[in-house]
Amino acid sequence: MEGEKPWDSTYQYQCKKKMFDKYKDELGESRAVALSNVWANYHFLGCSYPPEALEAIKSWGPPPRDRMYEDKMRELKDREAVMAGDKPNQQKKKQKLRIHM
């Protein structure tokens, strides 16, 4: 399996690598690479795939919820808050609607 790609987060890559390492002997290297990419894209990006591909990864389960997962989820929430104009880790204050006439 090739190294981490620029578009992979460290968490995504490590999860994908774990799946590859777990199934490479059973499936062969090229199929394990393909299916670990399908698995990661399905869980992290919400991609859709033909039923046959999803059936092949059905037993693999979701990504592990470890410390790295929790850190990544916190980072994503902070990023969403910044993009929405809020400060990270602060509750959004209610704003009154002001109408100027």
Side-chain angles (χ1 to χ4, degrees), residues 66-82:
D66 55 9
R67 180 178 167 104
M68 186 176 276
Y69 171 86
E70 298 301 330
D71 289 346
K72 186 64 181 175
M73 292 300 106
R74 193 173 307 106
E75 176 189 321
L76 290 173
K77 285 180 186 175
D78 288 349
R79 185 181 309 152
E80 287 173 1
V82 167

Side-chain angles (χ1 to χ4, degrees), residues 3-88:
E4 185 174 341
K5 303 291 187 207
W7 53 83
D8 286 331
S9 72
T10 301
Y11 177 68
Q12 288 171 327
Y13 176 73
Q14 288 180 353
C15 288
K16 187 170 29 175
K17 177 103 172 73
K18 284 180 187 178
M19 289 297 138
F20 168 77
D21 290 339
K22 184 174 180 179
Y23 292 102
K24 70 180 174 183
D25 292 335
E26 178 185 332
L27 300 172
E29 190 169 322
S30 63
R31 182 133 171 96
V33 166
L35 289 176
S36 64
N37 283 315
V38 167
W39 177 85
N41 292 344
Y42 176 76
H43 285 288
F44 295 113
L45 303 176
C47 295
S48 57
Y49 288 93
E52 299 82 15
L54 295 177
E55 185 65 31
I57 63 165
K58 183 170 73 173
S59 66
W60 294 17
R65 293 183 67 120
D66 55 9
R67 180 178 167 104
M68 186 176 276
Y69 171 86
E70 298 301 330
D71 289 346
K72 186 64 181 175
M73 292 300 106
R74 193 173 307 106
E75 176 189 321
L76 290 173
K77 285 180 186 175
D78 288 349
R79 185 181 309 152
E80 287 173 1
V82 167
M83 292 183 78
D86 299 335
K87 293 180 181 175

